[in-house]
Coordinates of all heavy atoms in Angstrom, one line a residue:
M209 N 0.9 -1.2 0.0 CA 0.0 0.0 0.0 C 0.9 1.2 0.0 O 1.6 1.5 1.0 CB -0.9 0.0 1.2 CG -1.9 1.1 1.3 SD -3.0 0.9 2.7 CE -2.4 2.3 3.7
P210 N 0.9 2.0 -1.1 CA 1.8 3.2 -1.1 C 1.2 4.3 -0.3 O 0.0 4.4 -0.2 CB 1.9 3.5 -2.6 CG 0.6 3.0 -3.2 CD 0.2 1.8 -2.3
T211 N 2.1 5.1 0.3 CA 1.6 6.3 1.0 C 2.0 7.5 0.2 O 2.9 7.4 -0.7 CB 2.3 6.3 2.4 OG1 3.7 6.0 2.3 CG2 1.7 5.4 3.3
F212 N 1.4 8.6 0.6 CA 1.7 9.9 -0.1 C 2.1 10.9 0.9 O 1.6 11.0 2.0 CB 0.4 10.4 -0.9 CG 0.1 9.4 -2.0 CD1 -0.8 8.4 -1.8 CD2 0.6 9.7 -3.3 CE1 -1.1 7.5 -2.9 CE2 0.3 8.8 -4.4 CZ -0.6 7.8 -4.2
C213 N 3.1 11.7 0.5 CA 3.6 12.8 1.3 C 2.4 13.8 1.5 O 1.8 14.2 0.5 CB 4.8 13.5 0.7 SG 5.3 14.9 1.5
P214 N 2.2 14.1 2.8 CA 1.1 15.1 3.0 C 1.4 16.5 2.5 O 0.5 17.3 2.3 CB 0.9 15.1 4.5 CG 2.2 14.6 5.0 CD 2.8 13.7 4.0
K215 N 2.7 16.8 2.3 CA 3.0 18.1 1.8 C 3.1 18.3 0.3 O 2.5 19.1 -0.3 CB 4.4 18.5 2.5 CG 4.6 20.0 2.5 CD 5.8 20.3 3.3 CE 6.2 21.8 3.2 NZ 7.5 22.1 3.8
C216 N 4.0 17.4 -0.3 CA 4.2 17.5 -1.7 C 3.5 16.5 -2.5 O 3.5 16.5 -3.7 CB 5.7 17.5 -2.0 SG 6.5 15.9 -1.8
N217 N 2.8 15.6 -1.8 CA 2.0 14.6 -2.5 C 2.8 13.6 -3.3 O 2.2 12.9 -4.2 CB 0.9 15.2 -3.3 CG -0.4 14.5 -3.2 OD1 -0.7 13.9 -2.1 ND2 -1.3 14.6 -4.1
A218 N 4.0 13.4 -3.0 CA 4.8 12.4 -3.7 C 4.5 11.0 -3.2 O 4.2 10.8 -2.1 CB 6.3 12.7 -3.5
M219 N 4.5 10.1 -4.2 CA 4.2 8.7 -3.8 C 5.5 8.1 -3.1 O 6.6 8.3 -3.6 CB 3.8 7.9 -5.0 CG 3.1 6.6 -4.6 SD 2.4 5.7 -6.0 CE 3.7 4.6 -6.3
L220 N 5.3 7.5 -1.9 CA 6.4 7.0 -1.2 C 6.3 5.6 -0.9 O 5.2 5.1 -0.6 CB 6.4 7.8 0.2 CG 6.4 9.3 0.1 CD1 6.0 9.9 1.4 CD2 7.7 9.9 -0.4
P221 N 7.4 4.9 -0.9 CA 7.4 3.5 -0.5 C 7.2 3.4 1.0 O 7.4 4.4 1.7 CB 8.8 2.9 -0.9 CG 9.6 4.1 -1.0 CD 8.7 5.3 -1.3
D222 N 6.8 2.3 1.5 CA 6.5 2.1 2.9 C 7.8 2.2 3.7 O 8.9 1.8 3.2 CB 5.8 0.7 3.2 CG 4.3 0.8 2.9 OD1 3.8 1.9 2.9 OD2 3.7 -0.2 2.6
G223 N 7.7 2.5 5.0 CA 8.8 2.4 5.9 C 9.7 3.6 5.9 O 10.7 3.6 6.6
L224 N 9.3 4.7 5.2 CA 10.1 5.9 5.3 C 9.7 6.8 6.4 O 8.6 6.9 6.8 CB 10.0 6.7 4.0 CG 10.7 6.2 2.7 CD1 10.4 7.1 1.5 CD2 12.2 6.0 3.0
E225 N 10.7 7.5 7.0 CA 10.4 8.4 8.1 C 10.3 9.8 7.6 O 9.6 10.7 8.2 CB 11.5 8.4 9.2 CG 11.4 7.2 10.1 CD 12.5 7.2 11.1 OE1 13.1 8.2 11.3 OE2 12.7 6.1 11.7
K226 N 11.0 10.1 6.4 CA 10.9 11.4 5.9 C 10.6 11.3 4.4 O 11.0 10.3 3.7 CB 12.3 12.1 6.0 CG 12.5 12.8 7.3 CD 13.9 13.4 7.3 CE 14.1 14.4 8.4 NZ 15.5 15.0 8.2
C227 N 10.0 12.3 3.9 CA 9.8 12.4 2.4 C 11.1 12.7 1.7 O 11.8 13.7 2.1 CB 8.8 13.4 2.1 SG 8.6 13.7 0.3
P228 N 11.6 11.9 0.8 CA 12.9 12.1 0.1 C 12.8 13.4 -0.8 O 13.9 13.9 -1.1 CB 13.2 10.9 -0.7 CG 11.8 10.2 -0.8 CD 11.0 10.6 0.3
R229 N 11.6 13.8 -1.1 CA 11.5 14.9 -2.0 C 11.6 16.3 -1.3 O 12.3 17.1 -1.6 CB 10.2 14.8 -2.8 CG 10.2 15.6 -4.1 CD 9.3 15.0 -5.1 NE 8.3 16.0 -5.6 CZ 7.3 15.7 -6.3 NH1 7.0 14.4 -6.6 NH2 6.4 16.6 -6.7
C230 N 10.7 16.4 -0.2 CA 10.7 17.7 0.4 C 11.1 17.6 1.9 O 11.3 18.6 2.5 CB 9.2 18.2 0.4 SG 8.1 17.2 1.4
G231 N 11.4 16.4 2.4 CA 12.0 16.3 3.7 C 11.0 16.4 4.8 O 11.4 16.4 6.0
T232 N 9.7 16.4 4.5 CA 8.7 16.4 5.6 C 8.7 15.1 6.4 O 8.8 14.0 5.8 CB 7.3 16.6 4.9 OG1 7.3 17.8 4.1 CG2 6.2 16.7 6.0
K233 N 8.6 15.2 7.7 CA 8.5 14.1 8.5 C 7.2 13.4 8.3 O 6.1 14.1 8.3 CB 8.7 14.4 10.0 CG 10.1 14.4 10.4 CD 10.2 14.4 11.9 CE 11.6 14.3 12.4 NZ 11.7 14.3 13.8
L234 N 7.2 12.1 8.1 CA 5.9 11.4 7.8 C 5.4 10.8 9.1 O 6.2 10.3 9.9 CB 6.2 10.3 6.7 CG 6.8 10.9 5.4 CD1 7.2 9.7 4.6 CD2 5.7 11.7 4.7
P235 N 4.1 10.7 9.2 CA 3.5 10.0 10.3 C 3.8 8.6 10.2 O 3.9 8.0 9.2 CB 2.0 10.3 10.2 CG 1.8 10.7 8.7 CD 3.1 11.3 8.3
K236 N 3.9 8.0 11.4 CA 4.2 6.5 11.4 C 3.1 5.7 10.7 O 1.9 6.1 10.8 CB 4.3 6.1 12.9 CG 5.6 6.4 13.5 CD 6.5 5.2 13.8 CE 7.9 5.6 13.8 NZ 8.4 5.9 15.1
A237 N 3.5 4.7 10.0 CA 2.5 3.9 9.3 C 1.5 3.3 10.3 O 1.9 2.7 11.3 CB 3.2 2.8 8.5
P238 N 0.2 3.5 10.0 CA -0.8 2.9 10.9 C -0.8 1.4 10.7 O -0.4 0.8 9.7 CB -2.1 3.5 10.4 CG -1.8 3.8 9.0 CD -0.4 4.1 8.8
G239 N -1.4 0.7 11.7 CA -1.5 -0.7 11.6 C -0.3 -1.5 11.9 O 0.2 -2.2 11.1
D240 N 0.2 -1.4 13.2 CA 1.2 -2.3 13.7 C 0.7 -3.7 13.6 O -0.4 -3.9 14.2 CB 1.5 -1.8 15.1 CG 2.7 -2.6 15.7 OD1 3.0 -3.7 15.1 OD2 3.3 -2.1 16.7
P241 N 1.4 -4.6 13.0 CA 0.8 -6.0 12.8 C 0.6 -6.6 14.2 O -0.2 -7.6 14.3 CB 1.9 -6.7 12.0 CG 3.1 -5.8 12.0 CD 2.6 -4.4 12.2
N242 N 1.3 -6.2 15.2 CA 1.2 -6.8 16.5 C 0.1 -6.1 17.3 O -0.3 -6.7 18.4 CB 2.5 -6.8 17.3 CG 3.5 -7.7 16.7 OD1 3.2 -8.8 16.2 ND2 4.8 -7.3 16.7
A243 N -0.3 -5.0 16.9 CA -1.3 -4.2 17.7 C -2.7 -4.9 17.5 O -3.1 -5.4 16.5 CB -1.4 -2.8 17.2
L244 N -3.5 -4.8 18.6 CA -4.8 -5.3 18.6 C -5.8 -4.2 18.2 O -5.6 -3.1 18.7 CB -5.2 -5.9 19.9 CG -4.4 -7.2 20.4 CD1 -4.7 -7.5 21.8 CD2 -4.9 -8.3 19.5
T245 N -6.8 -4.6 17.4 CA -7.8 -3.6 17.1 C -8.8 -3.5 18.3 O -8.8 -4.4 19.1 CB -8.6 -4.1 15.9 OG1 -9.3 -5.3 16.2 CG2 -7.7 -4.3 14.7
P246 N -9.5 -2.4 18.4 CA -10.5 -2.3 19.6 C -11.4 -3.5 19.6 O -11.8 -4.0 20.7 CB -11.2 -1.0 19.2 CG -10.3 -0.3 18.4 CD -9.5 -1.3 17.6
Q247 N -11.8 -4.0 18.5 CA -12.7 -5.2 18.4 C -12.0 -6.4 19.1 O -12.6 -7.1 19.9 CB -13.0 -5.5 17.0 CG -14.1 -6.6 16.8 CD -15.4 -6.1 17.2 OE1 -15.8 -5.0 16.8 NE2 -16.2 -6.9 17.8
E248 N -10.8 -6.6 18.8 CA -10.0 -7.7 19.4 C -9.8 -7.5 20.8 O -9.9 -8.5 21.6 CB -8.7 -7.9 18.7 CG -8.8 -8.5 17.3 CD -7.5 -8.5 16.5 OE1 -6.8 -7.5 16.7 OE2 -7.2 -9.4 15.8
W249 N -9.6 -6.3 21.3 CA -9.5 -6.0 22.7 C -10.7 -6.3 23.4 O -10.7 -6.8 24.5 CB -9.1 -4.5 22.9 CG -7.7 -4.3 22.9 CD1 -6.9 -3.6 22.0 CD2 -6.7 -4.7 23.9 NE1 -5.6 -3.6 22.4 CE2 -5.5 -4.3 23.6 CE3 -6.9 -5.5 25.1 CZ2 -4.3 -4.6 24.4 CZ3 -5.8 -5.8 25.9 CH2 -4.5 -5.3 25.5
R250 N -11.9 -6.0 22.8 CA -13.1 -6.2 23.5 C -13.4 -7.7 23.7 O -13.8 -8.2 24.8 CB -14.3 -5.6 22.7 CG -15.0 -4.6 23.5 CD -16.2 -3.9 22.8 NE -17.0 -4.6 22.0 CZ -17.7 -4.1 21.0 NH1 -17.6 -2.8 20.8 NH2 -18.5 -4.8 20.2
V251 N -13.1 -8.5 22.7 CA -13.2 -10.0 22.8 C -12.3 -10.5 23.9 O -12.7 -11.3 24.7 CB -12.9 -10.6 21.4 CG1 -12.8 -12.1 21.5 CG2 -13.9 -10.2 20.4
L252 N -11.1 -10.0 23.9 CA -10.1 -10.5 24.8 C -10.5 -10.1 26.3 O -10.4 -11.0 27.2 CB -8.7 -9.8 24.6 CG -7.5 -10.5 25.0 CD1 -7.2 -11.6 24.0 CD2 -6.3 -9.6 25.1
L253 N -11.0 -8.9 26.4 CA -11.5 -8.5 27.8 C -12.7 -9.3 28.2 O -12.8 -9.7 29.4 CB -11.8 -7.0 27.8 CG -10.7 -6.1 27.9 CD1 -11.1 -4.6 27.7 CD2 -9.9 -6.2 29.2
L254 N -13.6 -9.6 27.3 CA -14.8 -10.4 27.6 C -14.4 -11.8 28.0 O -14.9 -12.3 29.0 CB -15.6 -10.5 26.3 CG -17.1 -10.4 26.6 CD1 -17.6 -9.0 26.9 CD2 -17.9 -10.9 25.3
E255 N -13.4 -12.4 27.3 CA -12.9 -13.7 27.7 C -12.3 -13.7 29.1 O -12.6 -14.5 29.9 CB -11.8 -14.2 26.7 CG -12.4 -14.6 25.3 CD -13.4 -15.8 25.5 OE1 -13.0 -16.8 26.1 OE2 -14.5 -15.7 25.0
A256 N -11.5 -12.6 29.4 CA -10.8 -12.5 30.7 C -11.9 -12.3 31.8 O -11.8 -12.9 32.9 CB -9.9 -11.3 30.7
Y257 N -12.9 -11.6 31.4 CA -14.0 -11.3 32.4 C -14.8 -12.6 32.7 O -15.0 -12.9 33.9 CB -15.0 -10.3 31.7 CG -16.1 -9.8 32.6 CD1 -15.8 -9.0 33.7 CD2 -17.4 -10.2 32.4 CE1 -16.8 -8.5 34.5 CE2 -18.4 -9.7 33.2 CZ -18.1 -8.9 34.2 OH -19.1 -8.4 35.0
K258 N -15.0 -13.4 31.7 CA -15.7 -14.7 31.9 C -14.8 -15.6 32.7 O -15.3 -16.3 33.6 CB -16.0 -15.3 30.5 CG -17.3 -15.1 29.9 CD -17.6 -16.0 28.8 CE -17.6 -15.3 27.5 NZ -17.6 -16.2 26.3
F259 N -13.6 -15.6 32.4 CA -12.6 -16.4 33.1 C -12.5 -16.1 34.6 O -12.4 -16.9 35.5 CB -11.2 -16.3 32.5 CG -10.3 -17.5 32.7 CD1 -10.6 -18.7 32.1 CD2 -9.2 -17.4 33.5 CE1 -9.8 -19.8 32.4 CE2 -8.4 -18.4 33.7 CZ -8.7 -19.7 33.2
A260 N -12.6 -14.8 34.9 CA -12.5 -14.3 36.3 C -13.8 -14.5 37.0 O -13.8 -14.7 38.2 CB -12.1 -12.8 36.3
L261 N -14.9 -14.5 36.2 CA -16.2 -14.7 36.8 C -16.5 -16.1 37.2 O -17.3 -16.3 38.1 CB -17.3 -14.2 35.8 CG -18.4 -13.4 36.5 CD1 -17.9 -12.1 37.0 CD2 -19.5 -13.1 35.4
L262 N -15.9 -17.0 36.6 CA -16.2 -18.4 36.8 C -15.9 -18.9 38.2 O -16.8 -19.4 38.9 CB -15.4 -19.3 35.8 CG -15.9 -20.7 35.6 CD1 -17.2 -20.8 34.9 CD2 -14.8 -21.6 34.9
P263 N -14.7 -18.6 38.8 CA -14.5 -19.0 40.2 C -15.5 -18.3 41.2 O -15.9 -18.9 42.2 CB -13.1 -18.7 40.5 CG -12.5 -18.0 39.3 CD -13.5 -18.1 38.2
V264 N -15.7 -17.0 40.9 CA -16.6 -16.3 41.7 C -18.0 -16.9 41.7 O -18.7 -17.1 42.8 CB -16.7 -14.8 41.3 CG1 -17.7 -14.0 42.1 CG2 -15.3 -14.1 41.4
G265 N -18.5 -17.3 40.5 CA -19.8 -17.9 40.4 C -19.8 -19.2 41.1 O -20.8 -19.6 41.8
L266 N -18.8 -20.0 41.0 CA -18.7 -21.3 41.6 C -18.7 -21.2 43.2 O -19.4 -21.9 43.9 CB -17.4 -22.0 41.2 CG -17.5 -22.7 39.9 CD1 -16.2 -23.4 39.5 CD2 -18.6 -23.8 39.8
A267 N -18.0 -20.2 43.7 CA -17.9 -20.0 45.1 C -19.3 -19.5 45.6 O -19.8 -20.0 46.7 CB -16.9 -18.9 45.4
F268 N -20.0 -18.7 44.8 CA -21.3 -18.3 45.2 C -22.3 -19.4 45.2 O -23.1 -19.6 46.2 CB -21.8 -17.3 44.1 CG -23.1 -16.6 44.4 CD1 -23.1 -15.6 45.5 CD2 -24.2 -16.8 43.7 CE1 -24.3 -15.0 45.8 CE2 -25.4 -16.2 44.0 CZ -25.4 -15.3 45.0
L269 N -22.2 -20.3 44.2 CA -23.1 -21.5 44.2 C -22.8 -22.4 45.4 O -23.7 -22.9 46.0 CB -22.8 -22.3 42.9 CG -23.8 -22.0 41.7 CD1 -23.3 -22.7 40.5 CD2 -25.2 -22.3 42.1
L270 N -21.5 -22.6 45.7 CA -21.1 -23.4 46.8 C -21.7 -22.8 48.1 O -22.2 -23.6 49.0 CB -19.6 -23.5 46.9 CG -19.0 -24.8 47.3 CD1 -19.2 -25.8 46.2 CD2 -17.6 -24.7 47.7
G271 N -21.6 -21.5 48.2 CA -22.2 -20.9 49.4 C -23.6 -21.1 49.6 O -24.1 -21.4 50.7
I272 N -24.4 -21.0 48.5 CA -25.8 -21.2 48.5 C -26.1 -22.7 48.9 O -27.0 -22.9 49.7 CB -26.4 -20.9 47.1 CG1 -26.4 -19.4 46.9 CG2 -27.8 -21.4 47.0 CD1 -26.9 -18.9 45.5
I273 N -25.4 -23.6 48.3 CA -25.6 -25.0 48.6 C -25.3 -25.3 50.1 O -26.1 -26.0 50.8 CB -24.7 -25.9 47.7 CG1 -25.2 -25.8 46.3 CG2 -24.6 -27.3 48.2 CD1 -24.2 -26.4 45.3
C274 N -24.2 -24.7 50.6 CA -23.9 -24.8 52.1 C -25.0 -24.3 52.9 O -25.4 -24.9 53.9 CB -22.6 -24.1 52.4 SG -21.2 -25.0 51.9
L275 N -25.6 -23.1 52.5 CA -26.7 -22.5 53.3 C -27.9 -23.4 53.3 O -28.5 -23.6 54.3 CB -27.0 -21.1 52.6 CG -26.2 -19.9 53.1 CD1 -26.7 -18.7 52.4 CD2 -26.4 -19.7 54.6
I276 N -28.2 -24.0 52.1 CA -29.3 -24.8 52.0 C -29.2 -26.1 52.9 O -30.1 -26.5 53.6 CB -29.6 -25.3 50.5 CG1 -30.1 -24.1 49.7 CG2 -30.6 -26.4 50.4 CD1 -30.1 -24.3 48.2
L277 N -28.0 -26.6 52.9 CA -27.6 -27.8 53.7 C -27.7 -27.5 55.2 O -28.2 -28.3 56.0 CB -26.3 -28.4 53.3 CG -26.1 -29.1 52.0 CD1 -24.7 -29.5 51.7 CD2 -27.1 -30.3 51.9
L278 N -27.3 -26.3 55.5 CA -27.3 -25.9 56.9 C -28.8 -25.7 57.4 O -29.1 -26.0 58.6 CB -26.6 -24.6 57.1 CG -25.1 -24.7 57.4 CD1 -24.4 -23.4 57.4 CD2 -24.8 -25.4 58.7
Y279 N -29.6 -25.2 56.6 CA -30.9 -24.8 57.1 C -32.0 -25.8 56.8 O -33.2 -25.6 57.2 CB -31.3 -23.4 56.5 CG -30.6 -22.3 57.2 CD1 -29.5 -21.7 56.6 CD2 -31.0 -21.8 58.4 CE1 -28.8 -20.7 57.2 CE2 -30.3 -20.8 59.0 CZ -29.2 -20.2 58.4 OH -28.5 -19.3 59.1
V280 N -31.7 -26.8 56.0 CA -32.7 -27.8 55.7 C -32.6 -29.0 56.7 O -31.5 -29.4 57.0 CB -32.6 -28.3 54.3 CG1 -33.5 -29.5 54.0 CG2 -33.0 -27.1 53.4
Ligands
LIG543 ZN1 7.1 15.5 0.3

């Protein structure tokens, strides 16, 4: 995907920090291959949330069962 210099509009190959034509500093290329998109972050957080909720839910259930056993 070629980029264009925001100042002189020259077509630039990827990975340049400066425009070779006018010397303008170029913004870093978007889309770090290792970076997660917000969508992926949400899925990841949801999974972590579920994972953290599982022991809490189990402990809660166990408590209820204990209460029932105690009072019945
Ligand atoms: Zn330029």
Side-chain angles (χ1 to χ4, degrees):
M209 188 176 107
T211 45
F212 292 89
C213 173
K215 199 173 173 189
C216 70
N217 223 26
M219 199 171 96
L220 308 162
D222 279 336
L224 285 180
E225 281 180 16
K226 272 178 167 184
C227 173
R229 197 154 128 190
C230 67
T232 303
K233 272 198 176 179
L234 302 169
K236 282 250 157 89
D240 186 341
N242 291 324
L244 291 169
T245 64
Q247 186 73 40
E248 284 170 324
W249 267 115
R250 239 178 41 205
V251 172
L252 208 76
L253 280 174
L254 216 76
E255 285 298 311
Y257 187 68
K258 266 193 249 170
F259 202 69
L261 218 67
L262 197 70
V264 174
L266 279 176
F268 188 70
L269 266 175
L270 216 73
I272 288 175
I273 290 169
C274 284
L275 272 177
I276 291 169
L277 288 176
L278 272 174
Y279 284 101
V280 170

